[in-house]
Each structure stands twice: as C-alpha cells, then as structure tokens.
Amino acid sequence: MVAEPVRIVPGGLVWALRAVLTDVTTDRRRREAAQRAERAARREHERADAVAEIADVLRDAVLPHFQDELDGYGLEAAAVYRPDAPGAGVGGDWYKARGLPDGRLLLALGDARGHGLEAVTLMAKLRYALAGLAYTSQPVERLTQWLNEVACADARESTATAIIARYHPERSMLRWTCAGHPRPVLLREGHAAQLPAPAGGPGLTLGVLPGTTYNATETKLETGDIVLMYSDGLTERRPADPDQDTLRFLGAAESCFRESAPGPGHAGLQDYVERLVARLDGPHCTDDATLLALRRP
C-alpha cells in the first residue's frame, strides 16, 4: 500500500487520506505454488520438464497477445518474446499495454533481475503493481517512482529495469520514463534512431534506492512511425558494450525495413518484429529477450 495525507494547507490539518492498495494474495499463492512444483520436480529428477510447463502457463497468463485491441487508441502493436533457451524457458522480461479510464494508454516494458521462477514472480509483481497504480491518473514520473518503492520494499534483492510510458492519442504523443533500461528506438521512413533520454539522463534501476525521482520526456509520433521497445537480452553480447549493442539493433531494424517494409495491420507489424528478432537471435544469446513494437497507422 502507498498512502499519503491530504492537507488543506501545508502543515495544516489532515482532511483526507489518499491511498493505492494492491492485493498481493494471488501473487503470493502463485509463488508458493511454483515453489512446491519446483521441489516436487527436483525430487523426481524431472525439474527441467516441470519448470518448462510452469513457464508456459505463467507466460500465457502474464504476457498479452495483441490483435486489434489498440485500434481505438490510434496504435497498432506487436510483440515477440524469446525465452532463455539454455535455461528454464522463462525469465524476468515483461510488457504491458492497457487502456486507462482517461482514454489514454499505459505502455511498459521491463526486465526483472535473474532467471527462472524467482525472476518471473518479481516480473509479475511489478507488472500488476504498475497496472493498478496507473489508474490513479498520475504522470508517468510518479508511477515510476511508486514502482521503485514497490521494488525496494521487497525483502529480497529485487531490481529491475523498465520503460514506462503513457500514450496520448489526442496528441499522438508518447510520454515516457527510463529506469536503467535501453531507450526506445524510433523507426521513421526506414531510418532508426534511439530516442533522446529524459532530462538528467536515464533514471536509476528500480529497486536500488528508495526515494528516487524520475524525469519524463515526450515523443511526438507521425503517421507511419514505429517505436521499438526491447530488453537488452536481444542485443547484449559478451563482453558487453552498450554502444555496440545499440548500433547492432539500429542496423538490424533498418536492414529488415529495407528488405521488406512492414505491411499494413497487426499481421504486417508482427511479421516485421519476428524478422527483426530472428536477425538478432543466435547461439550467442544467453538471456531472454523481448521486443514490443508500436505503430501509428
């Protein structure tokens, strides 16, 4: 729960209490169920198969599948999730797209620390917490700050990176924050460029320091623009070089566009992101990876 007093004047009497409450019972029960399943699998020497089955269920329950759900907001969306092949087939990557009561759209993509069931439970916790917090209609800076407090309050070392955004369809404008995550890429007329960071640079990773504040920046979308949000597992190589990773992603995005520009509708955008992930994928990838594409048609 996050709560704050409302005062008529600074230092005056409290006349109301404003609070946001998230019921974590379901998350706790899911975590306990996952732990029981993991112990049973280990005893039977079938841990890999059991965890893979759990991963499939959790992925289907947590990660949305887009068709035409965002048409009413003037956007098309497509996503590809590539699990951690050498691991359990599940990780901490997550994304979110949900309409809000004020007619705007919540968009987010994050990467929770670690692998396996611990990572996916943290991922689910942050994803559902953000979904509830977004209904306060607070700006994305405040949502990111609150989500950081949720991560910091976890008893374990729970860190995550994220891009948290709200799309304003009446202005064709994306307003977003960055918490230690690779910045989104704008693909416009076949040219790919990383979006400029918010004032002060990218914010601190979630779960590191309580009380951290975040800045937002605005991106105006033109007709045909595609915004690509991705996790570092899609581009990261060993030894890590973030600049080279970004250049690799920009080059692949442009190459796939030149070979075949994304067709109309959800199917055309989905085909493009699948080709882009296939271009970047390979045996050298050792982390789960996610790509979320948003297009203003």
Side-chain angles (χ1 to χ4, degrees):
M1 184 177 72
V2 178
E4 62 182 2
V6 179
R7 303 177 188 272
I8 298 176
V9 295
L13 295 176
V14 176
W15 67 275
L17 183 68
R18 181 166 49 215
V20 176
L21 175 68
T22 301
D23 183 357
V24 299
T25 303
T26 302
D27 281 351
R28 292 292 182 89
R29 289 175 176 170
R30 286 177 178 171
R31 182 182 298 181
E32 292 168 1
Q35 290 172 345
R36 288 195 299 270
E38 185 177 4
R39 287 194 297 268
R42 188 182 296 112
R43 287 194 300 267
E44 298 172 6
H45 304 285
E46 297 176 352
R47 180 182 182 279
D49 291 342
V51 173
E53 183 178 355
I54 294 171
D56 289 341
V57 174
L58 287 172
R59 259 200 317 274
D60 290 341
V62 172
L63 299 181
H65 302 278
F66 300 114
Q67 289 297 328
D68 303 317
E69 295 89 341
L70 306 186
D71 286 356
Y73 298 91
L75 283 183
E76 295 170 341
V80 173
Y81 172 75
R82 181 186 58 76
D84 176 10
V90 63
D93 283 8
W94 58 275
Y95 55 92
K96 185 76 177 175
R98 169 177 286 189
L100 299 173
D102 60 6
R104 291 161 184 170
L105 187 65
L106 171 68
L107 299 162
L109 187 144
D111 183 359
R113 173 184 176 273
H115 301 275
L117 296 176
E118 288 190 2
V120 81
T121 52
L122 174 60
M123 171 267 285
K125 174 181 178 179
L126 295 177
R127 184 177 179 274
Y128 286 121
L130 177 62
L133 292 168
Y135 274 78
T136 63
S137 298
Q138 290 291 317
V140 290
E141 305 96 304
R142 198 66 181 280
L143 299 183
T144 310
Q145 182 180 357
W146 281 341
L147 200 63
N148 177 63
E149 299 301 324
V150 171
C152 288
D154 197 90
R156 301 166 302 167
E157 184 180 351
S158 300
T159 59
T161 64
I163 297 292
I164 299 174
R166 183 181 279 115
Y167 182 67
H168 300 248
E170 73 282 1
R171 292 188 286 164
S172 301
M173 187 264 289
L174 190 71
R175 196 166 190 274
W176 57 277
T177 62
C178 177
H181 199 84
R183 303 197 308 275
V185 166
L186 177 65
L187 186 62
R188 177 173 289 170
E189 296 180 350
H191 175 69
Q194 194 172 35
L195 292 178
L204 198 63
T205 297
L206 300 173
V208 173
L209 184 65
T212 300
T213 58
Y214 296 86
N215 295 321
T217 189
E218 298 179 354
T219 301
K220 183 76 172 180
L221 299 187
E222 299 178 1
T223 301
D225 280 356
I226 298 175
V227 175
L228 301 171
M229 300 164 62
Y230 62 99
S231 63
D232 59 8
L234 189 62
T235 59
E236 193 175 62
R237 304 292 182 267
R238 296 291 186 267
D241 185 336
D243 292 335
Q244 289 299 318
D245 293 342
T246 300
L247 291 175
R248 186 182 302 110
F249 184 86
L250 297 177
E254 292 182 352
S255 295
C256 289
F257 190 95
R258 285 194 300 268
E259 291 171 1
S260 179
H266 167 79
L269 186 60
Q270 185 68 40
D271 173 72
Y272 173 77
V273 296
E274 289 178 358
R275 288 190 288 113
L276 178 54
V277 170
R279 175 70 61 90
L280 293 166
D281 202 2
H284 45 274
C285 295
T286 58
D287 195 4
D288 53 319
T290 302
L291 175 62
L292 173 63
L294 307 165
R295 175 168 63 180
R296 183 188 170 197

